Amino acid sequence: SDLEEFLRGRGGFSVIAAFHVLEHAPDPPGLLGLARDALNENGRLFLSVPNPERVMFAEELREDWDKPPHHLVRFSERGLRLLLERCGFEPEKTRRVPWRLGYSAGRLAGYLDYRAWTWLGLKPASWSRPFRNLFRLVMLVPVFLGAPVRTAGAFFRGGQSLYVSARKAKGGAA
């Protein structure tokens, strides 16, 4: 069964964990309401969603999985906390997955290759690895000069995911 069908009419859970689920739900408030109703009075919800501030340099570079029909909605930290409060939860702690060099370096390499293709009509993917990496280093100069604060800041903002723990609010429903 799907998650909504599974939760509907069930109760007494101490904990519900939903990691990278909410962004796929067509009705996030409805899903959170079912989760709230399925928790016992001291129940806790642990969830994660993709961090909208993760390293992404341009909208056209967002991964296919981060667009519909895969991800239907994006949540900021503030927006997620407000949604949880409106759905009968008391958010307790929010944390971001630490920044990871490997992922960010890969995203930067992809961005530079994309810009080489769109700006210069070049196809770095067909070049030898040493030459491609040297070219990427040269390409970093206009990227950082063009938007130094935005570009550098993107590397250290948050991480790949937002994690939130929340308690079922006293009185149950919002």
Side-chain angles (χ1 to χ4, degrees):
S1 67
D2 66 15
L3 185 56
E4 289 87 351
E5 186 178 320
F6 175 81
L7 288 173
R8 195 169 283 114
R10 295 192 185 240
F13 290 105
S14 299
V15 172
I16 292 177
F19 301 117
H20 288 270
V21 171
L22 203 56
E23 67 274 11
H24 298 275
D27 179 17
L31 180 59
L32 288 172
L34 289 171
R36 180 199 61 235
D37 294 345
L39 288 168
N40 66 28
E41 72 176 53
N42 295 313
R44 296 186 70 183
L45 174 69
F46 296 93
L47 62 84
S48 67
V49 297
N51 181 2
E53 295 183 20
R54 66 190 181 281
V55 178
M56 295 291 173
F57 293 93
E59 183 64 28
E60 65 269 15
L61 287 180
R62 282 199 184 272
E63 300 93 341
D64 286 341
W65 53 259
D66 196 27
K67 300 173 185 172
H70 309 289
H71 288 177
L72 304 177
V73 67
R74 294 186 188 130
F75 298 94
S76 67
E77 183 175 344
R78 182 173 181 267
L80 183 57
R81 292 179 69 84
L82 288 170
L83 178 62
L84 286 165
E85 289 169 3
R86 289 181 183 148
C87 291
F89 289 96
E90 296 172 2
E92 296 177 312
K93 186 175 182 181
T94 304
R95 94 174 190 80
R96 297 166 186 214
V97 171
W99 176 75
R100 291 195 309 257
L101 176 62
Y103 181 86
S104 297
R107 293 298 300 152
L108 178 59
Y111 173 75
L112 293 172
D113 289 353
Y114 175 80
R115 287 297 173 207
W117 177 65
T118 59
W119 289 344
L120 306 171
L122 303 173
K123 296 184 181 174
S126 64
W127 301 345
S128 70
R129 177 175 272 171
F131 186 71
R132 186 171 58 229
N133 287 337
L134 178 63
F135 180 78
R136 287 172 178 160
L137 282 173
V138 171
M139 287 285 294
L140 278 175
V141 174
V143 169
F144 278 102
L145 289 177
V149 174
R150 181 177 154 259
T151 305
F155 274 99
F156 300 101
R157 243 183 281 141
Q160 297 311 301
S161 301
L162 295 174
Y163 285 86
V164 178
S165 62
R167 273 194 196 285
K168 183 175 181 176
K170 298 299 178 203

